[in-house]
Each structure stands twice: as structure tokens, then as C-alpha cells.
Amino acid sequence: MTTPRTDTTLTSAPFPAPGEAARRELLQSVVDVARAIFGAAASSVFLLDEEADELVFQAVSGEGEEFLVGRRFPAGRGIAGWVATSGEPMVVDDLSSDASFDRSLAESTAYVPDAIMAAPLISDSRVLGVLEVLDPSPQARSGVRELDLLAMFARQAAAALRVLAPEPVAAASVARTLDGARRDDALQLLGSLERLLRGTG
């Protein structure tokens, strides 16, 4: 378990990159689908900026979607930080009793959840970021199967990201214009998994 950082500063500094619209569309579809599948109040994707050692809100669905995209926080903090560091998914039914939950960080986002599910975005053994669902429906957080589904969805999202941006996803890494075929391939990957998850949900 990582030790939380003491720095509580959140700044707004999204990655400037060609093809940003296509990447944002992909990530927005990830959080929208995750929120719907797990009946959550909100869902978000953070990408890891390795140079700054920070996690950056890249897409949000539900609570906070109007103002959180682009905000960043130290990569070692909170549930998302633990998942990014460990590379393991995590579910917490009662955040009030969990030591890894950073309440001050949650309060700074204007939404403090009671429960959370999170899974790493992993591609080629590399953690690209974290997918979270906040306050999922009680049945969605009731067992290992649901967490496995979230982890599977996160892996597929990471694969789709790599289709869009074959180089590591970091502040200056997406340095090419994305063509329509790559974008379509990435969205098709997500669409096929969405159908699978909805069929088994």
C-alpha cells in the first residue's frame, strides 16, 4: 500500500496532443459505459503522467463531469494512486473505514463517495492509468465477479487507447495525428466488450 503524499494541490493542465478529440471521445465512452453497466453515480478515467508523477482526470461521467477533466493530483494518493501503483483492481464498500481513501482529495473534487470500484488500465504490463466507478449499485459491488468485469473492461479500454496512441500515453507521447481507421478500431474494441458485459450483467 502506498503512503499518501502530503501535497494537496490540484491544478488544471490537460495534455496538449494531436488527436486529442478522438482520444477524449474514446475515454468519454469508457466512463459513460462503465457508469451505466455498474449503476454508478459517477465514473472517471485518470491517465498517468509519469514525468510529473501525477494522475490526471481525462474523462468523467456523472458527478463532477463539468469541471474535473484536466485536474491532476499526486500519483501516490488515494484509491486511484494505490491501484496505479499496485496494478491491482480494488473495491471498497465502506470508504469511511478504509485507510487508503483520501477524504481530503475527494472533498476537493466536490463529491465524496461512500463506495468505490477501481481497476488499472494496463497494456503490455504497463499501467497507463485507472478506471473508477463511484457509488456503484449495491449488487454491482457485491462480489469478485463484478470487480473482474471492471478489470476486464479496463484492460479493453487500455487496448483501445494503445490502438489510438501506440506510444506510451504521457504528457508528450501522443505525437501523431490519428487516422479514422485507428479511431474506428478503438471504438469497435470497446463496443464489443460493452455488448459482452451487458449480456452477462
Side-chain angles (χ1 to χ4, degrees), residues 31-52:
V31 293
D32 287 343
V33 169
R35 182 185 174 207
I37 288 173
F38 294 97
S43 178
S44 53
V45 163
F46 310 92
L47 292 185
L48 182 62
D49 181 345
E50 292 180 335
E51 292 180 6

Side-chain angles (χ1 to χ4, degrees), residues 33 36-38 145 149 152-153 190-201:
V33 169
I37 288 173
F38 294 97
R145 176 178 175 274
L149 286 176
M152 183 193 307
F153 188 53
L190 282 183
S192 63
L193 186 62
E194 178 186 359
R195 289 189 293 275
L196 172 63
L197 292 177
R198 290 189 185 279
T200 59

Side-chain angles (χ1 to χ4, degrees), residues 3-186:
T3 302
R5 300 267 194 93
T6 56
D7 179 11
T8 59
T9 303
L10 282 165
T11 58
S12 180
F15 297 138
E20 187 72 15
R23 187 172 64 136
R24 286 196 183 279
E25 180 184 355
L26 170 68
L27 293 176
Q28 191 62 47
S29 70
V30 169
V31 293
D32 287 343
V33 169
R35 182 185 174 207
I37 288 173
F38 294 97
S43 178
S44 53
V45 163
F46 310 92
L47 292 185
L48 182 62
D49 181 345
E50 292 180 335
E51 292 180 6
D53 194 27
E54 292 175 326
L55 285 168
V56 186
F57 280 96
Q58 289 293 313
V60 179
S61 178
E63 297 288 344
E65 63 183 298
E66 302 87 358
F67 60 89
L68 285 176
V69 172
R71 297 185 78 183
R72 49 177 69 218
F73 60 92
R77 290 187 60 186
I79 302 287
W82 186 89
V83 170
T85 301
S86 68
E88 297 292 333
M90 183 178 191
V91 58
V92 182
D93 286 327
D94 183 6
L95 289 169
S96 66
S97 61
D98 189 89
S100 59
F101 179 56
D102 191 328
R103 182 164 293 274
S104 65
L105 180 59
E107 288 172 350
S108 74
T109 69
Y111 181 70
V112 181
D114 296 317
I116 195 169
M117 297 170 67
L121 299 170
I122 298 177
S123 178
D124 298 328
S125 301
R126 183 190 185 97
V127 175
L128 305 181
V130 177
L131 170 62
E132 281 189 346
V133 289
L134 309 180
D135 288 328
S137 64
Q139 56 267 41
R141 51 179 118 142
S142 60
V144 174
R145 176 178 175 274
E146 286 73 21
L147 190 58
D148 285 345
L149 286 176
L150 182 65
M152 183 193 307
F153 188 53
R155 285 194 299 272
Q156 194 81 349
L161 257 182
R162 279 301 179 100
V163 169
L164 280 179
E167 299 303 317
V169 180
S173 63
V174 188
R176 65 187 71 190
T177 301
L178 305 173
D179 59 38
R182 274 208 184 123
R183 175 184 169 279
D184 291 345
D185 286 347

